Amino acid sequence: MALSLPGGLVVLALLLATTTPVLAIPHQCSACKAVGRQLYHRLASEDLDSRKDLDLRYGLDSKGKRKGRMLPFKQSELRATELIENLCDEMKNYGVATSAATKQLGWLQIQGDRKQTLHMDLGGGSLGDIMGSTFGDKVSSDGKRLQGYCSTILEEREEVLVAALMDGRVDATGKSEEKTTADIIAVLCQWEKRKKKSPCALEDEGKIEL
């Protein structure tokens, strides 16, 4: 016998089915810090010297000089947007694993460049078993999940993050890795909002394992 649900319940069920996997991601603070880690590496590797200042001048004033100003590329919304653009695509190489450095379970980059060292308890198995097709499938599944979470957190914080990149609150120039990553976490993962907790609301730790 087929069951029919009221329209409102059908809509609610569909919404839960599409949003729960992202919102209910395990180790949420670690997931947010993983996104912050990727942003840090983009900041640390960007080549600002090759980018020209933006010409915002227009028309002429009464003295025949052009109106407006030249805007340093580093302070532009264009640069901030480029840093964030397609950032979530890079989360595909992450998975939930135990860090060799901290012995804690969380989101680590386990494939590709800058992959992090894992702590592996073989439990009588071989390293080949762990790194075989089953492990690869898990990385693929975890990575897709983190990509979805990344999109959600960036959409939530895009306006504030772009502003922080433009005004220099988030900046790798002349700052240590620890300071830069702490600044990223403060903006991306540790914010105050009524009736909504940030991903790292209950954690005081301001570091990202690079």
Side-chain angles (χ1 to χ4, degrees), residues 137-157:
D137 291 344
K138 182 184 184 306
V139 173
S140 177
S141 175
D142 283 354
K144 290 178 181 177
R145 195 171 187 182
L146 188 56
Q147 283 179 299
Y149 174 78
C150 173
S151 297
T152 298
I153 195 66
L154 287 185
E155 182 178 356
E156 175 80 31
R157 302 298 294 162

Side-chain angles (χ1 to χ4, degrees), residues 190-203:
Q190 289 177 322
W191 35 268
E192 296 295 331
K193 192 171 184 179
R194 293 184 63 185
K195 299 182 179 180
K196 191 168 186 178
K197 292 182 179 179
S198 63
C200 299
L202 302 180
E203 293 196 17

Side-chain angles (χ1 to χ4, degrees), residues 73-129:
F73 177 75
K74 188 175 181 178
Q75 299 173 14
S76 68
E77 184 175 356
L78 173 62
R79 177 247 183 179
T81 302
E82 287 182 356
L83 282 169
I84 298 173
E85 188 176 22
N86 300 324
L87 181 67
C88 296
D89 291 346
E90 300 173 11
M91 310 316 297
K92 64 184 178 183
N93 291 322
Y94 280 74
V96 176
T98 301
S99 165
T102 66
K103 302 300 188 292
Q104 294 180 341
L105 193 64
W107 289 91
L108 301 174
Q109 183 174 349
I110 50 187
Q111 291 186 154
D113 295 337
R114 303 191 188 94
K115 60 184 177 182
Q116 294 160 286
T117 305
L118 311 184
H119 172 70
M120 292 186 176
D121 181 0
L122 300 182
S126 68
L127 185 60
D129 293 336

Side-chain angles (χ1 to χ4, degrees), residues 155-191:
E155 182 178 356
E156 175 80 31
R157 302 298 294 162
E158 181 176 10
E159 184 176 339
V160 178
L161 184 57
V162 166
L165 288 165
M166 291 174 65
D167 64 24
R169 280 177 291 149
V170 171
D171 184 14
T173 306
K175 294 182 180 179
S176 66
E177 291 181 359
E178 183 176 355
K179 172 58 177 171
T180 304
T181 55
D183 290 342
I184 293 172
I185 291 172
V187 173
L188 194 62
C189 310
Q190 289 177 322
W191 35 268

Side-chain angles (χ1 to χ4, degrees), residues 1-5:
M1 178 183 294
L3 293 176
S4 61
L5 295 175

